[in-house]
Amino acid sequence: MASDVVAGIICLILGVGIYLTARTFPTLGGGYPGPGFFPQILGVMLAGAGLVLAVQGWRRGPGRLVARKPLWRWEWLKALGVVAAVGGYIVAAPRLGFPLTMGLLLVATMVMLGVPVRKALPVAILTVVSMLVIFGRILRVPLPVGPWGW
Amino acid sequence: MEAILQTLALLSQPKVVGIVLLSAVYGLFIGSIPGLTATMATALLVPFTFFLDPLSGLVAIITMEAMAIFAGDIPAVLLRIPGTPSSAAYTEDSYELTKQGKGEIALGLDLICSAIGGIMGAVAFIVGAPLLVLIAMNFTSFENFWLAVLGLSGAAMVSSGAPLKGTISALLGLFLSTIGIDITLGYPRFTFGNVNLLNGISFIPAMIGLYGVSEVLRGAMSPHLEYPIARLRAESIFQGVYELLKRYKTQLFRGGLVGTFVGALPGAGADIAAWLSYALARRFSREPEKFGKGSFEPIIDAGTANNAALGAAWIPALVFGIPGDPVTAIVIGVLMMKGLRPGPLIFQEQAGLLNGLRMMFILANLLMLPLGYLAIRAGSSIIRIPRNVLMPIILAFSIVGAYALENSLFDVGIMLMLGILGYLMEANGFPIAPVVLGLVLGPMIEQNFMISMIKAQWNLLAFFSRPASLVLGVVTLVVWMLPVLMVLLRRRPLVEATPGG
């Protein structure tokens, strides 16, 4: 995956960003630092730690990548599929309602991970029904409702 | 005596008994499945505890965690894969014993040692916490500031991975805690105009993301593996266990002590307790060459230590508000949600709740014996549940769990973001526990710092003016210097060795 150099540079940029943003925050009266004080310290420390990490990674050379497992493109797509499924749920749940959206999410992710549809479908239905009972009925969580009232 | 009877009556209500049994089964189930951690199980349990009274909610977490840490030993014996990271230290020995036809004894030993370790941790909590309360009562914002910084620094240093990466994780957690309305002027920080962020990053969705969603992402990316599952004769689980415990009673006691001590340190939970205990067991063993080849010693030592750490981790969490491990970080979050603030006062104001917790620590470990036995018998069936079916179900419960607290889909988004962050961090060697501790301790550090500074009119030396804060401050600075000292110590032999060739 990424090397320490990349991770360090990301931390450096994030730290500088936090520091610069926090500098725009108002201060307490009498010139005393206010809401920006703590984030500014954090920003400086994060940037410093990121810099050290990047330098350490650079010195070790490119041979020392952190995650060394070979990752095939298909596996990345599966992880992206999981992310897309949650994103899709956030968008679709208020429009389609909880049971349908969650059912679709379950079937889609299971099929993507290699479960046959004939097995994924009953598992999804069973899971959605038990969630409706546990969260909807027992815990009274107002789960998103679709245009058809469920 | 009356207090004990009252507490027993409280815990024997049908609702509480039901919750205890359900959370025990849940803990045994999650613990038995390789890769799923007790922390993830706690994060997914919290949405349920939100709807319970504080005692029932905390009782559920105590029971579930004890069971999960024990159950992590089951796949270690049957598959050579630890169920939770806490069992990793002695997985090799457990599986070697299985190959030698002693798998059932290993599991019987695991079960008894887990229960004894758990009870030792519970005793430490019962005896140790009130003593520390007496000290904590005298603490002011100066000491509380140092304590929180020390806790977080310790977590960054001892967590898995390099100290520098632990520090970065802790800083990220602290940064996340600053998002939202600030305490001094009520100024919205890093919200970028989004009203959903005014109250800050919701803790529970963040936890579910860091531990639940990241696990699903990892599960989705790892290739599907078929494991050969060893077969055991469950009826002979306890045969010979008594003799082994009698023979290795020093190891048992030492494991419990090490586990209790490590558990009480902020940030160092059951995993580190097990590893440290394993290292000590090997160092003092008469047969160190047998380690890794099917020795009972590491199982007794580290198997006791990981469960002992659980109860001990609650000591700093409840006395100082500083979590001993990620699970107690979640516990602090649960207490806050219930309007209870951890600290010395909770021991006076919530005596009934505290009595209930003390008794539950003991009861949960006793309950582990029969339920653990059943879990061992059902072990191979639980392990056979395919991961590609389980992961989407965990994802579904993560989504609804994150949503349920505030009925907010925005929180589901927070969960997803932190899930991706947690996955990427762990894949690159950044530990997650310091992020969680940073998130919990951030407000405590900042508030105590600002209060102290306003009191002392921005004189930084005031942080070293009281004896207790001086000691804590110096210890913190020493902890910060440790990585530098270690680098220097490591270099010295090299320098000396060079002239001689």
Side-chain angles (χ1 to χ4, degrees):
Chain A
M1 202 176 273
S3 69
D4 281 2
V5 179
V6 177
I9 291 171
I10 292 173
C11 292
L12 177 66
I13 294 170
L14 185 65
V16 171
I18 293 170
Y19 174 78
L20 292 178
T21 314
R23 274 190 61 157
T24 62
F25 296 167
T27 52
L28 294 178
Y32 290 131
F37 185 69
F38 189 59
Q40 278 181 47
I41 295 177
L42 292 179
V44 171
M45 287 174 80
L46 189 60
L51 188 66
V52 175
L53 185 69
V55 171
Q56 278 183 357
W58 183 264
R59 279 196 186 159
R60 276 195 217 117
R64 285 232 176 175
L65 294 176
V66 177
R68 266 153 286 178
K69 274 184 254 169
L71 293 172
W72 298 284
R73 194 177 286 173
W74 175 231
E75 291 179 334
W76 275 103
L77 281 180
K78 280 187 196 170
L80 278 180
V82 171
V83 173
V86 181
Y89 177 88
I90 296 172
V91 176
R95 292 168 180 83
L96 300 178
F98 168 78
L100 190 60
T101 321
M102 188 53 90
L104 284 173
L105 175 139
L106 280 163
V107 173
T109 40
M110 270 189 265
V111 169
M112 181 184 75
L113 296 177
V115 182
V117 179
R118 61 173 197 289
K119 202 172 157 190
L121 212 55
V123 173
I125 293 171
L126 201 67
T127 310
V128 170
V129 170
S130 19
M131 290 179 108
L132 279 172
V133 172
I134 298 171
F135 287 98
R137 281 285 164 89
I138 302 175
L139 302 180
R140 296 181 189 282
V141 175
L143 295 164
V145 179
W148 30 77
W150 48 270
Chain B
M1 190 65 200
E2 200 181 320
I4 294 176
L5 287 176
Q6 267 179 0
T7 314
L8 264 180
L10 213 59
L11 292 175
S12 54
Q13 296 171 78
K15 188 184 101 180
V16 180
V17 173
I19 288 167
V20 165
L21 287 176
L22 281 176
S23 40
V25 172
Y26 170 63
L28 289 168
F29 177 78
I30 296 277
S32 304
I33 293 176
L36 303 187
T37 62
T39 316
M40 189 210 82
T42 315
L44 288 181
L45 185 67
V46 167
F48 296 95
T49 61
F50 183 66
F51 298 92
L52 302 170
D53 58 284
L55 180 66
S56 307
L58 295 177
V59 155
I61 295 178
I62 290 173
T63 315
M64 186 283 298
E65 192 190 12
M67 303 291 168
I69 297 296
F70 154 67
D73 299 344
I74 299 176
V77 170
L78 297 179
L79 285 178
R80 202 186 171 200
I81 301 173
T84 70
S86 309
S87 304
Y90 48 98
T91 294
E92 202 63 44
D93 284 283
S94 305
Y95 193 69
E96 285 299 321
L97 284 168
T98 308
K99 284 206 289 195
Q100 295 164 20
K102 297 176 193 160
E104 12 334 78
I105 309 172
L107 277 177
L109 201 58
D110 277 330
L111 180 56
I112 304 282
C113 289
S114 296
I116 294 175
I119 289 173
M120 285 176 81
V123 171
F125 173 69
I126 293 167
V127 179
L131 294 176
L132 282 176
V133 165
L134 295 177
I135 301 172
M137 290 295 264
N138 297 317
F139 280 5
T140 62
S141 60
F142 293 101
E143 286 82 13
N144 286 330
F145 165 77
W146 279 125
L147 213 53
V149 175
L150 180 62
L152 190 58
S153 311
M157 297 298 163
V158 298
S159 56
S160 55
L164 182 61
K165 290 191 168 177
T167 307
I168 289 176
S169 296
L171 289 169
L172 281 176
L174 287 174
F175 165 64
L176 290 174
S177 81
T178 63
I179 295 174
I181 294 273
D182 115 280
I183 42 139
T184 50
L185 287 180
Y187 184 78
R189 298 187 293 193
F190 307 107
T191 56
F192 305 104
N194 190 328
V195 282
N196 290 303
L197 282 173
L198 285 179
N199 284 331
I201 299 258
S202 312
F203 181 66
I204 298 306
M207 290 301 301
I208 296 176
L210 285 170
Y211 285 99
V213 176
S214 67
E215 191 53 56
V216 175
L217 287 173
R218 234 185 325 277
M221 290 191 76
S222 57
H224 187 64
L225 295 175
E226 282 294 336
Y227 310 110
I229 301 175
R231 290 197 166 275
L232 297 179
R233 290 167 294 125
E235 52 290 349
S236 53
I237 284 172
F238 296 118
Q239 270 176 20
V241 168
Y242 176 71
E243 288 74 23
L244 280 168
L245 288 178
K246 214 167 128 185
R247 188 169 153 203
Y248 295 115
K249 51 184 179 294
T250 321
Q251 282 79 348
L252 184 73
F253 192 64
R254 185 176 58 206
L257 280 185
V258 170
T260 305
F261 176 73
V262 176
L265 292 178
D271 317 356
I272 293 166
W275 280 111
L276 187 67
S277 187
Y278 180 90
L280 279 176
R282 191 172 187 157
R283 172 77 185 76
F284 292 107
S285 172
R286 285 187 197 143
E287 303 163 317
E289 70 284 354
K290 283 193 180 168
F291 276 56
K293 292 173 188 154
S295 170
F296 285 113
E297 277 186 73
I299 294 180
I300 296 174
D301 238 304
T304 312
N306 57 13
N307 276 75
L310 304 182
W314 286 60
I315 302 174
L318 290 184
V319 178
F320 302 111
I322 294 176
D325 59 5
V327 170
T328 44
I330 301 178
V331 167
I332 290 178
V334 171
L335 285 170
M336 298 283 210
M337 275 192 322
K338 304 280 180 197
L340 300 170
R341 208 179 165 79
L345 286 180
I346 201 175
F347 284 78
Q348 293 169 359
E349 291 166 0
Q350 299 288 335
L353 174 70
L354 262 293
N355 283 337
L357 297 185
R358 290 181 184 116
M359 191 165 284
M360 199 56 225
F361 269 116
I362 303 280
L363 291 178
N365 285 293
L366 294 177
L367 191 66
M368 189 195 287
L369 295 171
L371 291 182
Y373 174 75
L374 293 177
I376 293 172
R377 296 204 73 148
S380 51
S381 322
I382 300 174
I383 293 169
R384 279 204 183 88
I385 294 174
R387 284 176 76 87
N388 51 4
V389 173
L390 201 61
M391 287 300 168
I393 296 177
I394 290 175
L395 186 67
F397 274 88
S398 300
I399 292 173
V400 179
Y403 172 83
L405 299 178
E406 303 276 341
N407 305 327
S408 148
L409 283 168
F410 184 80
D411 279 351
V412 180
I414 293 279
M415 173 202 79
L416 179 62
M417 289 298 150
L418 284 161
I420 298 170
L421 178 75
Y423 170 76
L424 289 175
M425 285 179 71
E426 204 142 65
N428 285 292
F430 291 88
I432 299 296
V435 182
V436 178
L437 264 64
L439 205 53
V440 173
L441 293 175
M444 189 174 163
I445 293 175
E446 187 178 10
Q447 281 175 27
N448 282 307
F449 180 81
M450 291 307 262
I451 292 169
S452 306
M453 281 289 84
I454 291 167
K455 268 197 283 194
Q457 297 194 319
W458 295 89
N459 174 14
L460 277 173
L461 285 177
F463 277 104
F464 298 95
S465 59
R466 290 166 52 89
S469 72
L470 175 71
V471 172
L472 287 169
V474 170
V475 174
T476 309
L477 295 178
V478 169
V479 170
W480 286 359
M481 293 306 292
L482 275 180
V484 182
L485 285 175
M486 275 160 81
V487 169
L488 289 177
L489 280 175
R490 247 182 252 151
R491 273 192 192 161
R492 195 189 276 172
L494 280 177
V495 176
E496 283 169 3
T498 320

